[in-house]
Amino acid sequence: MKRFLSIVCVVLLTATLVSMVSCKQKEERIVYLYNWTYYTPEEVVRKFEQEYNCTVKLDSYSTCEEMYSKLRAGAKGYDIVIPSNDFVSIMLRQGMLRELDQSKLTNRDKINPKILAKAEYDPDMKYAVPYALSATGIMVNKTKVKANYARSYSILADPQFKGHSTMMDDMREVLGCALVYLGKDMNSLNDDDLDLAYKLVSDQWKPNIIKFDAEGFGKSFASGDFWLCQGYPEIVYGEVDETRWEETIDFFIPPEGGPATLDSMVILKDAPHYELANEFINFIHRPENYALFIDEFRYPNVVNPAADEFITTKPMYDAEQALSCTLKDDLGDGLDKYNMLWQKIRFTN
């Protein structure tokens, strides 16, 4: 009897251990993705979850500053983050990223060499794989405009938009637009250039602006409260019914150019699910999957040309416009100059 009970105990203990291991393995079939709002292709995520028998958990941010501050403050548990090029450079320099498993990156040959040439901080994709190149521009609500308007940054001073105008709550965006409008380098650290840009924003643009808004301007545009928005077009297009795009939205990138952003997928240094995170990054760049991403968000496809044959929608703007815009560089300590001016713009009358 004692021997029988011993055998039963061993069997039960073994079953418990197997169950614990099984539960642990099940728990580990998770990828925690920290991404911009409006920026995760739902259909691709569902496909990945099915194929890899896992769950993708998503958290979102509205600016890179928000994401970076949260991580630097000690936030844990995220696997993949999708920062813009300047923040990839910063995070690399600060040792926040883990090198990618190149054996998993079987779709690296699908990435456009023209894009990698712009990614001077990591042209060999050791740490960062391009996700999308996007440019900000101007959106006008055509149903609200009563007169003609200039298709340049001078529109930001047009009095007909007073009280119905917004720009992004982003110092590099706002001051960058002012710099290129003035014919200056968008990444300038020259004090005279920055002073001119500051005065332009404060004296001519800010009087028209009801608020600086990095995320919610799409809803306000769709409701008719905002008539003029500077920002990412997908945020507006995503809030306006597609059947009304043509009659409602006039989107343009001013001839002076403007800020462009190369967002990339990176794995954090302390990522708890490293292997699955590598699989997710590679999965995104299967051409048929990347086409689903482009179809959902209507970006010009300049990152993964092999996806062109699978794309079924027309982009919001053409690829050449995006490629002509300027990436926001990592300015290092020079960023303090922008921050000082931005505090004056944001918090003084």
Side-chain angles (χ1 to χ4, degrees), residues 278-292:
N278 276 282
E279 297 286 7
F280 182 86
I281 289 172
N282 190 58
F283 187 83
I284 289 287
H285 278 296
R286 284 187 198 171
E288 63 273 23
N289 292 338
Y290 196 76
L292 292 172

Side-chain angles (χ1 to χ4, degrees), residues 111-129:
I111 307 300
N112 190 343
K114 290 181 180 180
I115 293 298
L116 293 177
K118 286 181 174 286
E120 297 177 356
Y121 46 86
D122 187 24
D124 297 322
M125 293 189 287
K126 289 181 67 177
Y127 292 89
V129 175

Side-chain angles (χ1 to χ4, degrees), residues 203 213 335:
D203 298 345
D213 185 349
L335 196 62

Side-chain angles (χ1 to χ4, degrees), residues 70-171:
K70 185 173 180 177
L71 295 178
R72 294 298 291 177
K76 301 291 184 184
Y78 296 121
D79 295 302
I80 300 170
V81 181
I82 304 183
S84 301
N85 48 281
D86 51 337
F87 276 84
V88 174
S89 179
I90 292 168
M91 294 167 80
L92 264 173
R93 182 159 34 85
Q94 296 182 348
M96 297 174 65
L97 307 180
R98 184 170 176 180
E99 192 167 336
L100 301 172
D101 181 350
Q102 296 297 321
S103 70
K104 301 287 188 184
L105 195 55
T106 58
N107 290 315
R108 62 175 294 128
D109 63 324
K110 307 298 191 300
I111 307 300
N112 190 343
K114 290 181 180 180
I115 293 298
L116 293 177
K118 286 181 174 286
E120 297 177 356
Y121 46 86
D122 187 24
D124 297 322
M125 293 189 287
K126 289 181 67 177
Y127 292 89
V129 175
Y131 186 67
L133 178 73
S134 57
T136 54
I138 303 292
M139 284 137 295
V140 175
N141 189 328
K142 294 190 291 186
T143 67
K144 299 293 183 180
V145 177
K146 299 178 181 178
N148 293 329
Y149 51 85
R151 292 171 63 84
S152 80
Y153 286 114
S154 63
I155 193 175
L156 294 165
D158 188 333
Q160 73 174 310
F161 296 102
K162 186 177 179 64
H164 297 281
S165 173
T166 184
M167 294 188 75
M168 290 190 70
D169 191 4
D170 184 315
M171 62 187 178

Side-chain angles (χ1 to χ4, degrees), residues 182-337:
L182 293 167
K184 309 297 183 182
D185 178 1
M186 198 192 74
N187 296 298
S188 178
L189 290 174
N190 179 281
D191 290 335
D192 291 337
D193 292 350
L194 290 172
D195 186 56
L196 287 172
Y198 163 73
K199 288 177 179 176
L200 173 62
V201 175
S202 293
D203 298 345
Q204 298 185 43
W205 295 356
K206 188 178 175 182
N208 274 2
I209 294 172
I210 190 168
K211 68 184 295 190
F212 292 98
D213 185 349
E215 184 179 19
F217 61 87
K219 293 183 184 298
S220 296
F221 184 101
S223 69
D225 291 333
F226 290 169
W227 303 353
L228 171 64
C229 297
Q230 177 272 328
Y232 294 109
E234 61 272 15
I235 294 180
V236 164
Y237 280 88
E239 294 293 341
V240 177
D241 188 282
E242 188 170 353
T243 60
R244 300 185 61 244
W245 283 1
E246 186 66 29
E247 68 184 75
T248 306
I249 306 168
D250 179 18
F251 169 73
F252 59 91
I253 295 176
E256 301 92 348
T261 299
L262 177 57
D263 296 319
S264 294
M265 296 177 283
V266 301
I267 298 178
L268 294 171
K269 192 77 171 180
D270 57 356
H273 310 102
Y274 175 72
E275 293 300 323
L276 206 50
N278 276 282
E279 297 286 7
F280 182 86
I281 289 172
N282 190 58
F283 187 83
I284 289 287
H285 278 296
R286 284 187 198 171
E288 63 273 23
N289 292 338
Y290 196 76
L292 292 172
F293 167 62
I294 294 296
D295 281 342
E296 183 168 344
F297 294 104
R298 304 294 184 89
Y299 288 111
N301 178 28
V302 294
V303 170
N304 186 331
D308 283 346
E309 64 175 295
F310 301 100
I311 294 171
T312 62
T313 58
K314 182 180 178 181
M316 291 175 285
Y317 52 96
D318 64 57
E320 292 307 312
Q321 281 184 294
L323 285 169
S324 70
C325 290
T326 305
L327 292 184
K328 294 172 285 186
D329 291 342
D330 169 15
L331 300 178
D333 292 340
L335 196 62
D336 289 341
K337 293 184 177 184

Side-chain angles (χ1 to χ4, degrees), residues 15-44:
T16 301
L17 290 172
V18 169
S19 177
M20 289 172 66
V21 171
S22 175
C23 287
K24 186 175 187 296
Q25 289 175 339
K26 187 175 181 181
E27 287 172 4
E28 288 177 345
R29 303 300 294 173
I30 295 173
V31 173
Y32 284 92
L33 174 63
Y34 194 23
N35 195 6
W36 297 78
T37 308
Y38 297 103
Y39 211 30
T40 304
E42 293 181 7
E43 188 172 353
V44 178

